[in-house]
């Protein structure tokens, strides 16, 4: 059984032709329940396997954009995000073989960001610069393990701060040829399920149902660097564009 909920609210205010601001809120919530009983063909559990996973992400953002000069636009803002995770496992076997597990954790992050866009040389030269700084705070997870050891109990978890940036430039020549280049980096913190998730699986050799922690609290963030350059050639009164990157 699965349930998915998504809510998005945006308030946008154009204060003057040169300044506007926007506030937004988004919720993503998922709930999944897996149940498996002894009936059925193939390998099945001896008891009633029960797994429940619940996760949600709340995001609130405030940003403003100003046209400071005819050739300069500046955007700045703040973002708050809270991620929550819960799971519950129970194989419902007799007392000596029973495994019960519950995990609850949440993480918050605060981020500030900016973007600047320059239009120079009669708007033939376009330059864009942006940056973002994000700090994370992970609460002490709550664990309840019965019938099996808790591998997460004594592992300290910290999430490094994230600093990301992006720069791009484009120049339109009089021959209607646009030259462009871009460089940037990005960052993704591991999700709470990737750190603390757990569940049941079937041993393919004998069909035995085994409880297994899936997560690794020591996971490092994903980090990416990207670079590209190319050109666009406009032909036949801009009706045809040929591009290479």
């Amino acid at each position: 059984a699965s349930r998915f909920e998504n809510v998005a609210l945006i308030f946008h205010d154009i204060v003057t032709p040169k300044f506007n601001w926007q506030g937004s809120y988004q919720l993503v919530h998922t709930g999944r329940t897996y149940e498996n009983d002894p009936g059925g063909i193939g390998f099945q559990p001896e008891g009633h396997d029960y797994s429940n996973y619940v996760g949600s992400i709340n995001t609130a953002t405030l940003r403003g954009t100003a046209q400071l000069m005819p050739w300069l636009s500046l955007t700045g803002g703040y973002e708050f995000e809270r991620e929550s995770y819960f799971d519950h496992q129970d194989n419902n076997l007799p007392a000596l073989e029973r495994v019960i597990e519950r995990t609850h954790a949440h993480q918050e992050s605060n981020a500030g960001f900016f973007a600047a866009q320059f239009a120079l040389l009669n708007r033939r030269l376009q330059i864009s610069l942006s940056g973002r700084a994000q700090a994370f705070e992970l609460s002490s997870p709550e664990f309840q393990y019965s019938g099996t050891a808790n591998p997460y109990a004594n592992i300290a978890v910290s999430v490094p701060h994230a600093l990301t940036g992006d720069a791009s430039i484009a120049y339109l020549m009089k021959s209607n040829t646009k030259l462009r280049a871009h460089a940037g980096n990005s960052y993704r913190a591991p999700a709470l399920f990737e750190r603390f998730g757990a569940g049941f699986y079937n041993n393919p050799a004998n069909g035995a149902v085994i409880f297994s922690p899936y997560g690794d609290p020591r996971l490092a963030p994903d980090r990416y660097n990207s670079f590209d350059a190319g050109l666009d050639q406009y032909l036949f009164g801009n009706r045809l564009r040929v591009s290479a990157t």
Side-chain angles (χ1 to χ4, degrees):
S2 181
R3 182 180 65 186
F4 172 82
E5 299 165 5
N6 184 36
V7 176
L9 303 172
I10 297 176
F11 179 83
H12 188 199
D13 184 17
I14 302 176
V15 182
T16 72
K18 294 185 177 181
F19 176 74
N20 66 84
W21 68 276
Q22 176 177 297
S24 63
Y25 167 76
Q26 184 172 9
L27 164 68
V28 178
H29 177 87
T30 62
R32 293 174 290 138
T33 301
Y34 298 90
E35 296 180 274
N36 194 20
D37 287 282
I41 62 174
F43 293 121
Q44 303 296 337
E46 297 178 10
H48 173 78
D49 278 356
Y50 176 87
S51 298
N52 176 232
Y53 301 91
V54 180
S56 63
I57 297 178
N58 291 270
T59 307
T61 307
L62 182 66
R63 70 174 66 202
T65 299
Q67 188 73 40
L68 299 181
M69 304 290 288
W71 49 270
L72 172 60
S73 173
L74 186 64
T75 297
Y78 164 77
E79 179 185 275
F80 172 80
E81 185 172 274
R82 178 184 172 92
E83 178 186 2
S84 299
Y85 171 73
F86 169 81
D87 75 49
H88 174 208
Q89 320 291 330
D90 191 339
N91 62 6
N92 288 290
L93 291 177
L96 295 179
E97 302 177 46
R98 190 170 186 180
V99 173
I100 303 175
E101 175 269 345
R102 287 184 177 87
T103 295
H104 183 262
H106 72 266
Q107 174 179 277
E108 296 179 352
S109 75
N110 294 273
F113 57 88
F114 80 93
Q117 294 181 315
F118 302 84
L120 307 172
L121 302 180
N122 199 26
R123 306 192 69 86
R124 287 181 173 273
L125 177 62
Q126 303 281 333
I127 300 173
S128 177
L129 303 173
S130 63
R132 177 183 172 95
Q134 187 171 10
F136 299 86
E137 182 178 350
L138 176 66
S139 69
S140 298
E142 301 174 6
F143 300 107
Q144 297 179 20
Y145 272 68
S146 175
T148 186
N150 178 5
Y152 305 136
N154 299 313
I155 299 180
V157 181
S158 63
V159 187
H161 295 350
L163 294 175
T164 55
D166 196 275
S168 63
I169 185 170
Y171 179 67
L172 182 63
M173 303 170 65
K174 292 184 179 180
S175 60
N176 238 8
T177 304
K178 179 189 287 185
L179 305 177
R180 49 184 167 78
H182 158 264
N185 70 320
S186 58
Y187 174 109
R188 187 188 74 87
L192 294 176
F193 174 78
E194 294 174 300
R195 294 198 188 105
F196 305 113
F200 296 108
Y201 75 94
N202 285 75
N203 186 327
N206 56 20
V209 177
I210 300 173
F211 172 80
S212 174
Y214 293 150
D216 187 345
R218 303 163 298 180
L219 280 175
D222 294 341
R223 299 179 186 270
Y224 307 91
N225 298 295
S226 61
F227 310 89
D228 62 80
L231 60 86
D232 302 323
Q233 180 64 59
Y234 297 88
L235 303 167
F236 305 115
N238 294 339
R239 297 172 70 88
L240 175 66
R241 183 182 67 184
V242 181
S243 301
T245 302

